[in-house]
Amino acid sequence: MKRARVVVAGLGDTGVLTAMHLARHADVVGISVKPGLVSGQELGVRLSRPDDWSRDYWTSFERFRRLDRVHIVHGELTGVDLAARVVKVRHDDNSESALEYDTLVISTGVTNGFWRRPTMQSEAEVAAELRCAHDRLADAESVIVVGGGAAAVSSAANLAARWPDKRIDLYFPHARALPRHHPRVWQRVKKRLDDLGVTCHPDHRAVTWAGPASAGSSGSIADHLTSGTVEWTTGQKPAVADAVLWAIGRVVPNTGWLPADILDEAGYVRVSADLRVRRHQHVFAVGDVAATDEFRTSARNRADKLLARNIRADLDGRRLRDYRGRQALWGSVLGAQADGLEVFAPNGRVFRFPSWSVERVLQPLIVRWGIYGGVRATPPR
């Protein structure tokens, strides 16, 4: 019997795991603009310690053992014919191709600043981008971080830990940062920021130079690395720094290649509770691009396993299960530090991993083996 072909459109964190789960059950084709898994996680570590970040969060596809059965296409998605079940891809030499599918998984994620963009890149270009942002911050004597989410808070803390002589200021729009986390999390993280010398400025909402972002476009997002003056809509005096990191969380879904009738008003993919795209057979969406709930939590709640099971059930004519998201945030905020890793539960309680366990247990055993099923030290020849 012919095996079904599943096309996974987008190989970020969620797309890679979904492809892995399906590889034994179908002919899987993964499409990615990147030369490997270039994670959007841990911005602070990425900017302050790019070599450490690359070791844990940038992995070529060939190193993943469970992707050996997956055919990887390095290209940009330009369109889809849902009736004919064909996706259109532009390759790095500007040639184009059309790939047929039996099942389509939309996992193209979102654009969120220079660290998460759907641009075609080679390994050399990824490396150059990492180094460019790091060097720019290294050369600055003063840095403003704008934003109140985990990316902004982590960036301020990690920059201060890496360069203790710099002036680091964190500006956020509410009375406290991390508003979606339990209050205990901010209390603990704020103490860490104070110890690192970061100056926190609550109730500052920045004036951004761009208008509302539009679906499928990344050009109008004020999530960039700039310099100079930042003004505030909340009335405070402007602030000035050699470098300004905008991490204001204005995300835009990477859905410019999709027909408008499957998108909501913000450009995210409309899905049913079982992650199927509404009114279309054998089409699913998962991760930040899928409008599962207000905060699109399937990107952070390991919905990849449920999705893979539902796709197999769909191909076999069996009943699908519903995704139930968790609204409370959990996990690390600052990433691995010299003294270990702190992971917060949804109730704000902290679990601490000493640094030796991060290097010898968490990353090699839990992450590389337990989650990804084995990651080679180097790609196979």
Side-chain angles (χ1 to χ4, degrees):
M1 182 178 178
K2 181 182 177 182
R3 282 160 59 94
R5 170 182 274 197
V6 178
V7 168
V8 180
L11 291 177
D13 296 287
T14 306
V16 162
L17 290 168
T18 301
M20 288 178 174
H21 297 319
L22 292 168
R24 290 186 300 163
H25 308 278
D27 291 331
V28 180
V29 178
I31 303 171
S32 175
V33 293
K34 307 300 182 186
L37 175 56
V38 183
S39 176
Q41 300 180 52
E42 303 296 359
L43 176 62
V45 178
R46 172 177 173 149
L47 294 173
S48 60
R49 294 177 279 128
D51 292 338
D52 292 346
W53 183 89
S54 297
R55 180 194 61 221
D56 296 330
Y57 295 100
W58 174 20
T59 309
S60 66
F61 294 129
E62 294 82 3
R63 291 177 57 198
F64 291 109
R65 296 180 185 275
R66 292 176 61 192
L67 286 182
D68 287 350
R69 299 184 184 185
V70 176
H71 177 59
I72 306 294
V73 175
H74 188 205
E76 176 188 1
L77 290 148
T78 59
V80 61
D81 186 330
L82 295 174
R85 297 188 186 179
V86 172
V87 294
K88 301 173 184 178
V89 183
R90 181 185 299 118
H91 305 278
D92 53 7
D93 59 0
N94 281 326
S95 64
E96 297 186 354
S97 64
L99 298 176
E100 297 180 353
Y101 64 82
D102 296 301
T103 297
L104 174 64
V105 177
I106 300 169
S107 54
T108 42
V110 296
T111 293
N112 185 16
F114 58 86
W115 60 95
R116 295 179 72 186
R117 294 184 299 173
T119 51
M120 282 281 289
Q121 288 183 306
S122 64
E123 287 192 10
E125 288 169 332
V126 173
E129 185 175 72
L130 289 171
R131 185 55 55 183
C132 179
H134 171 79
D135 289 348
R136 185 167 180 181
L137 289 163
D139 291 340
E141 294 184 5
S142 58
V143 179
I144 286 174
V145 181
V146 184
V153 171
S154 171
S155 296
N158 279 280
L159 293 175
R162 176 65 178 83
W163 294 294
D165 293 334
K166 292 187 189 299
R167 191 192 84 212
I168 309 290
D169 291 274
L170 174 64
Y171 291 85
F172 43 91
H174 304 294
R176 68 177 179 93
L178 304 177
R180 288 187 55 210
H181 289 72
H182 194 282
R184 289 195 192 101
V185 179
W186 173 238
Q187 291 173 8
R188 188 172 182 91
V189 172
K190 174 64 163 59
K191 183 179 184 306
R192 186 67 175 248
L193 292 170
D194 292 341
D195 292 344
L196 289 167
V198 175
T199 303
C200 293
H201 303 267
D203 300 315
H204 282 66
R205 185 174 295 276
V207 176
T208 57
W209 61 87
S214 59
S217 169
S218 63
S220 60
I221 303 175
D223 286 52
H224 294 285
L225 191 57
T226 63
S227 60
T229 302
V230 181
E231 298 182 340
W232 314 104
T233 64
T234 38
Q236 297 90 348
K237 292 182 179 179
V240 180
D242 297 327
V244 180
L245 173 63
W246 297 81
I248 60 176
R250 190 186 294 180
V251 300
V252 175
N254 297 324
T255 53
W257 61 286
L258 292 170
D261 67 343
I262 70 170
L263 308 179
D264 66 13
E265 59 278 2
Y268 296 93
V269 181
R270 298 180 187 272
V271 293
S272 302
D274 54 17
L275 301 178
R276 281 185 289 192
V277 174
R278 295 178 180 177
R279 298 188 298 278
H280 290 278
Q281 288 188 326
H282 312 304
V283 182
F284 296 78
V286 71
D288 282 314
V289 77
T292 52
D293 51 76
E294 180 184 1
F295 298 112
R296 301 175 304 282
T297 58
S298 71
R300 287 160 290 279
N301 287 334
R302 293 305 310 273
D304 48 276
K305 287 187 176 182
L306 172 69
L307 174 59
R309 184 218 172 268
N310 278 356
I311 289 173
R312 296 197 303 270
D314 185 52
L315 292 170
D316 295 338
R318 294 183 284 112
R319 180 177 176 273
L320 278 62
R321 296 178 182 174
D322 288 350
Y323 167 75
R324 294 180 176 85
R326 292 178 293 179
Q327 298 303 315
L329 292 183
W330 62 277
S332 168
V333 173
L334 304 183
Q337 302 295 301
D339 57 354
L341 175 70
E342 291 187 341
V343 176
F344 296 95
N347 64 4
R349 300 296 183 186
V350 65
F351 298 89
R352 186 172 187 80
F353 295 85
S355 57
W356 67 265
S357 69
V358 175
E359 299 170 2
R360 301 177 193 174
V361 178
L362 182 63
Q363 282 295 338
L365 299 181
I366 297 177
V367 176
R368 297 188 187 114
W369 275 109
I371 295 178
Y372 291 110
V375 180
R376 301 178 177 96
T378 58
R381 294 185 178 181

